[in-house]
Amino acid sequence: MKDRKSKRRNRSLMQLFKYPKSGPENLIWFLLGFMLLHSCQSPKRELPIYNPADINPLLVDSAVRDRRQNHTIANFSLINQNRELVTQDDYKDKIYVTDFIFTRCPSICPLMTNNMEKLQEAFKGDGDVKFLSLSVTPEIDSVPVLKEYALNNGVMDNKWNIVTGSKRQIYDLARKSFFAVVDEGDGGLQDFIHTERFILVDKKKQIRGFYDGTKDADIKQLILDIKTLE
């Protein structure tokens, strides 16, 4: 239906700017018609592909800071709310959004999780889109804790994994793959990260956008950007 309306509009515009068969005004009328027709089109938004060198150095681990091309999300092996192993294979050829949370967070995490649930609702019928939340307190967020959290927040098991696992692996992913945090650390006992960032990843495991997971305007833009990648 939308295509038919677009074609009718374009034909009307061309008829409106139909120029004389001959004479010096020919080219002028043609150019005016072409310019108006072109302005009525909605060009598809082009999303950047982020490499470490494109990002604020404070957000990038020094080990990868100078990399200018071919950055992709590193492989991972974590456990979800159903005690299932979750790896890159579960996100193969998928567009997905990632965030870093912890279940006892009293501040930004509830809002982030609520907004992730809104994204899930927006794409619940779309098999190309998934979601991934990584716990930054994996020693506390056991599988039963994650399961209760998932049930309380409307998580669809086939769309959204909330995972726990090795703290060092999760923190390396945050700093060296997703570029989610500013502070440096070693993933040790005293290390802690806390960020409101949502990260958009395409089907080739490339980062295509960063968003504030607490802001409605960013969530609306993220929905549009996901549709751009499909």
Side-chain angles (χ1 to χ4, degrees):
M1 177 68 72
K2 189 179 292 184
D3 288 343
R4 288 200 297 270
K5 288 182 178 178
S6 178
K7 288 178 180 178
R8 286 198 299 269
R9 181 191 63 193
N10 291 346
R11 283 199 299 269
S12 297
L13 285 168
M14 291 306 292
Q15 289 169 357
L16 178 63
F17 283 94
K18 193 175 288 183
Y19 48 81
K21 293 182 179 180
S22 61
E25 298 176 342
N26 190 343
L27 182 59
I28 295 174
W29 280 106
F30 176 78
L31 290 174
L32 285 171
F34 177 81
M35 289 168 64
L36 182 58
L37 183 63
H38 182 71
S39 69
C40 291
Q41 307 304 312
S42 299
K44 194 173 184 180
R45 171 177 157 88
E46 289 292 335
L47 300 182
I49 297 173
Y50 287 96
N51 287 288
D54 303 322
I55 300 168
N56 182 345
L58 294 176
L59 288 165
V60 183
D61 189 279
S62 58
V64 296
R65 196 169 288 161
D66 295 330
R67 187 176 301 164
R68 297 185 176 278
Q69 58 184 357
N70 302 325
H71 175 76
T72 56
I73 303 303
N75 292 330
F76 52 82
S77 181
L78 299 162
I79 302 297
N80 75 358
Q81 67 269 21
N82 297 312
R83 207 178 295 276
E84 299 167 337
L85 183 67
V86 176
T87 70
Q88 280 279 27
D89 287 342
D90 295 285
Y91 291 85
K92 184 178 181 180
D93 298 324
K94 303 295 182 184
I95 299 163
Y96 67 97
V97 180
T98 297
D99 70 349
F100 293 82
I101 61 168
F102 60 107
T103 61
R104 295 187 182 183
C105 170
S107 56
I108 62 174
C109 296
L111 183 54
M112 292 166 62
T113 298
N114 183 59
N115 282 333
M116 192 72 90
E117 196 277 331
K118 290 179 182 178
L119 293 173
Q120 177 187 246
E121 180 66 22
F123 294 97
K124 66 180 181 180
D126 190 333
D128 284 340
V129 181
K130 297 185 73 171
F131 307 94
L132 176 66
S133 294
L134 296 89
S135 170
V136 299
T137 58
E139 67 282 358
I140 296 173
D141 288 336
S142 63
V143 170
V145 171
L146 292 185
K147 184 63 176 180
E148 182 180 3
Y149 190 80
L151 290 173
N152 289 338
N153 287 282
V155 171
M156 298 170 61
D157 290 337
N158 65 327
K159 296 289 288 184
W160 184 2
N161 290 297
I162 305 181
V163 296
T164 188
S166 162
K167 182 177 181 180
R168 186 174 298 276
Q169 180 186 184
I170 291 170
Y171 279 46
D172 275 352
L173 285 166
R175 292 185 169 116
K176 297 179 181 179
S177 276
F178 292 105
F179 312 127
V181 290
V182 173
D183 56 318
E184 296 184 0
D186 59 2
L189 184 62
Q190 301 302 317
D191 196 3
F192 180 70
I193 61 177
H194 200 203
T195 175
E196 74 284 352
R197 275 200 163 192
F198 280 11
I199 302 97
L200 175 60
V201 182
D202 69 15
K203 294 181 180 182
K204 297 180 179 180
K205 303 189 292 184
Q206 303 171 126
I207 295 176
R208 305 304 295 272
F210 298 96
Y211 309 83
D212 187 328
T214 68
K215 293 183 177 178
D216 289 342
D218 278 39
I219 300 305
K220 290 176 182 177
Q221 185 61 57
L222 177 50
I223 289 173
L224 294 175
D225 289 351
I226 290 172
K227 292 178 179 179
T228 296
L229 292 178
E230 290 188 289

